[in-house]
Every structure is written in structure tokens, then in C-alpha cells.
Amino acid sequence: MSTMTMPAGSPAATGGEAFLSVRDLYVRFSTEDGIVKAVDGLSFDVQRGRTLGIVGESGSGKSVTNLTILGMHNPATTTIGGEIVLDGQELTGASERQLQQLRGNKMAMIFQDPMTSLSPYYTVGRQIAEPFRKHTGATKRAAHERAVEMLAKVGIPQPAQRVHDYPHQFSGGMRQRVVIAMALVCNPDLIIADEPTTALDVTVQAQILDLLLEMQREFGSAIVLITHDLGVVANTADDLLVMYAGRAVERGTVEEVLRAPQHPYTWGLLGSMPSLTTDVSLPLTPIPGTPPSLLDPPTGCPFHPRCRFTEHVSGARCRTERPELPDGRGAACHLTPSQKAELYAEDVAPALGEEAVEAAADAERAADAEAVEDQVPGSTDSEENEQ
């Protein structure tokens, strides 16, 4: 697990045309126990040259979402609804032949366990060359040269010799580099990285993440980075989507979400992460309870059984009414902006360090100013008339 430091600044959302657009995505799995609601009304965009981090506990729907984008679910047991548009092409309902033409070519996935992603029966060079030959029609010789080139590009020493080696002859970090080379061999426009640094030590982890960003700068790819580690996205991603129980509960740029989080679930994730700016004697604060069963998710806000702030919401709205996630920056929570700012400043930020306290104070002042503005009728109109 990596420690987390707040970024000094992250690029603002570009607002440009989305290369990948997911709208109101639903994924249901039929099982003997019932219907698993794995993804429930998820929407997000990714632009070229930017990295979207998707975080959440295991079972929140992160990997299911991205496997759905690649069309890798069994259609006999899976029901998919909504829209997935990649560079203007609708993927929902696309045929297997169409998806095969896209997978490994226009979009590719880096899986978290290279030992299960690589075949022990074939050399790494053959496994890198195979998708290149399939999608480009290259000769065997050209594909071999491309495999050597990709091994060199991802930092494998003596690539001309190592291209003939088998996966078991590489270390864990080297195998992960091979998987990245295999995913990038056709210069895909969309890279989905599913926990690419899991089980790697921190030095190798940093090298892998730097390699991904270097490849992105070279090819202008859009990256979706799936992880449960906020420390990874803090230093890698541009935008951040927080998922819980198959839904998006908060989104914004990395700086916005990590400096001024608005959802109690995000507060819990931050509180359970070690930080370089906090007192080492302070214990980490785990999120109570466990993630809900997606066979029978809670009504209303899916996080309400584990949330310690429901008493601040009037009535039974948390249990009966599903909060909506607004467009752009925002969180799916019934707390008002001033309540979020106050609760975060008083109950959460002190455990996250001085920098978090300062950011919380800024957020609280902004929420107070917004509340005052909302209470002044016609203030916007009068300002426009004066101008």
C-alpha cells in the first residue's frame, strides 16, 4: 500500500469532446441466488491524453465496468443497458467480431496479475507479436522486430535476447512490463489498467506508473486507471470517479476530490489511508461494516447503513430516497454543501493532517459564501443588470 500526499495541482477538466463516453450503464448478472446488480446507472467521460482514476472497495463495480467496455462478459448470463461510445462508435450491442477488431487495437486492458495474463507455454515475444500480426497483418519477422522494440520501450534489458524467454524467467515487475508491452503493441487509443501495480513493491510500482504516463505522452492515449489505492491516483490521474455498490458517488478532478471531498464514503477512504502529513501516533480510521450485497442492495443511498452522518439529514431520506450525482463536480449525498463542509472540517480533516485542515477551511468558507448568495433573491440578475 502506498502512502498518499495531496497533489499541489492537477489539470482542470478539459471540457473537450469525450473519446470514451459511458451513459447510464447497467450490468446485471443472472446467478442461482438471483440477479446481481453489478453496475447501476453509471456515467462518465474520458478525453484523449487524460487519465481517469476509478476507486472504491472490492465489489464496487470498477472492474465489471471496464470489462463491459471491452465486451468481455458472457452474453448468456449478462444483461447490459445504457450507452458506451468509443470515438463515436457505439459498443453496447456490438457484435463479437466488431469487438475483436477493437480489442488490442483501439482499446486494450492491462490486467492486475501478469502470471494469469501470460501463457506459460509461449515465449513473451510470441505473445506480444500475436496481437500485432492479427490487427496489422504484419509478417512474422516484422512482428518479432516489433516485440523486441516494445520490450525495449518498456525497459526490459537485452530485449533481443529476452524476447525468447518464458514468463517464469521474469521477475514480477518485469512480467508486468511485458503485459504493458502486449497491451500497447498496437498503440491503442484507450488503455484500461486494472490494478496494474497490485502486489508490486513501491519502487517497481512507481516505475510502472511512470511508464504508463510516458506511453500516454507519446501516443496521446486515454487511460482508465482502476485501483483501490488513493495514493496511486493522487500522483497519476487527472480526474477521479469514486464508486460504491455499482454507482458513482463522487467525481471531479483529482485535486478537487482529494482536497475537498464531499461524500462520506470518500471521507472514509481517505481516513483509512496512511498520509505523510499526519501524526504517526494517530490510528487509521476504517469504514465500519462491509460493502452491501449487490443481490439485494440497500434502498435510498447505498452507503447509509455504514454512514455515521445520516442523523444530519432530516427524515428518512437516506434510507428511502436515492441521491443523484450532479453533472460535473459533485457527490451523490443528501447533506447540503454547508453541512458537508462543516462536517468534513470538524470530524474528518483533523485526522488527515494540516494540509487537509487548511483545504477544509477553504471549502467551508466557499460553502458559506454560496449559502449566503442563495439566500439573496435576484442577486445574480442585479449583478448582470449593473454590468
Side-chain angles (χ1 to χ4, degrees):
M1 178 184 292
S2 64
T3 57
M4 186 185 71
T5 56
M6 296 294 185
S10 301
T14 61
E17 183 178 351
F19 178 70
L20 172 68
S21 180
V22 176
R23 286 290 173 271
D24 202 24
L25 180 64
Y26 290 81
V27 182
R28 304 283 187 265
F29 296 126
S30 298
T31 69
E32 293 181 355
D33 297 322
I35 303 298
V36 177
K37 304 175 181 65
V39 180
D40 191 7
L42 181 66
S43 298
F44 63 85
D45 292 329
V46 188
Q47 284 82 30
R48 286 182 182 271
R50 291 183 69 82
T51 300
L52 171 69
I54 302 181
V55 300
E57 294 169 289
S58 297
S60 61
K62 307 184 301 297
S63 295
V64 169
T65 297
N66 290 284
L67 289 173
T68 303
I69 294 171
L70 292 168
M72 297 183 69
H73 293 308
N74 183 358
T77 57
T78 309
T79 301
I80 299 172
E83 295 182 351
I84 303 173
V85 180
L86 179 70
D87 197 20
Q89 181 176 356
E90 174 62 61
L91 301 185
T92 308
S95 68
E96 179 60 24
R97 180 168 182 168
Q98 290 174 313
L99 291 171
Q100 285 182 357
Q101 292 174 346
L102 294 173
R103 285 195 294 257
N105 186 23
K106 196 162 191 173
M107 57 181 180
M109 190 163 187
I110 301 169
F111 294 94
Q112 68 181 46
D113 185 359
M115 277 303 286
T116 58
S117 303
L118 297 170
S119 172
Y121 295 103
Y122 301 106
T123 65
V124 297
R126 178 172 175 175
Q127 295 181 64
I128 295 171
E130 181 182 0
F132 187 71
R133 292 191 67 188
K134 176 180 176 62
H135 292 295
T136 67
T139 64
K140 190 173 182 179
R141 180 186 181 91
H144 175 80
E145 292 174 351
R146 177 62 173 169
V148 173
E149 178 188 352
M150 290 305 299
L151 287 178
K153 195 178 290 289
V154 298
I156 300 293
Q158 299 178 315
Q161 288 75 42
R162 300 306 303 271
V163 73
H164 301 291
D165 289 342
Y166 291 84
H168 72 272
Q169 295 174 281
F170 290 78
S171 66
M174 290 293 188
R175 282 194 294 267
Q176 191 66 28
R177 290 172 183 265
V178 170
V179 170
I180 292 175
M182 189 162 58
L184 301 184
V185 68
C186 293
N187 298 339
D189 297 310
L190 173 66
I191 302 169
I192 299 174
D194 187 0
E195 302 276 9
T197 58
T198 297
L200 300 178
D201 62 66
V202 292
T203 54
V204 177
Q205 180 184 88
Q207 292 170 2
I208 295 298
L209 293 175
D210 288 344
L211 175 62
L212 276 177
L213 295 180
E214 181 182 340
M215 296 294 103
Q216 182 184 53
R217 285 190 292 268
E218 182 174 351
F219 300 116
S221 306
I223 296 179
V224 177
L225 177 63
I226 307 168
T227 182
H228 62 271
D229 192 339
L230 287 169
V232 169
V233 296
N235 298 291
T236 307
D238 301 306
D239 306 297
L240 186 57
L241 186 75
V242 182
M243 288 189 66
Y244 184 78
R247 304 176 184 177
V249 296
E250 184 166 1
R251 67 172 160 225
T253 66
V254 165
E255 182 178 7
E256 289 170 339
V257 175
L258 296 186
R259 286 184 173 274
Q262 297 179 2
H263 198 282
Y265 179 59
T266 312
W267 300 347
L269 293 177
L270 288 168
S272 62
M273 283 286 297
S275 172
L276 297 176
T277 62
T278 57
D279 186 346
V280 294
S281 64
L282 292 175
L284 299 177
T285 307
I287 303 173
T290 58
S293 168
L294 297 183
L295 284 166
D296 185 24
T299 59
C301 174
F303 188 61
H304 85 260
R306 306 173 68 187
C307 182
R308 58 191 178 97
F309 301 105
T310 55
E311 62 186 33
H312 297 277
V313 179
S314 60
R317 294 181 65 201
C318 291
R319 296 188 298 275
T320 60
E321 182 181 337
R322 174 175 173 170
E324 296 298 327
L325 181 64
D327 294 334
R329 170 73 179 118
C333 182
H334 290 304
L335 293 170
T336 65
S338 58
Q339 284 178 317
K340 294 174 187 175
E342 181 179 352
L343 290 171
Y344 177 69
E346 294 179 357
D347 293 6
V348 182
L352 301 181
E354 295 181 4
E355 192 172 353
V357 173
E358 294 174 2
D362 293 339
E364 191 170 12
R365 284 191 291 270
D368 290 342
E370 182 179 345
V372 170
E373 183 177 338
D374 291 341
Q375 292 175 1
V376 179
S379 59
T380 302
D381 295 338
S382 61
E383 290 174 3
E384 291 178 352
N385 291 335
E386 289 177 5
Q387 293 176 356

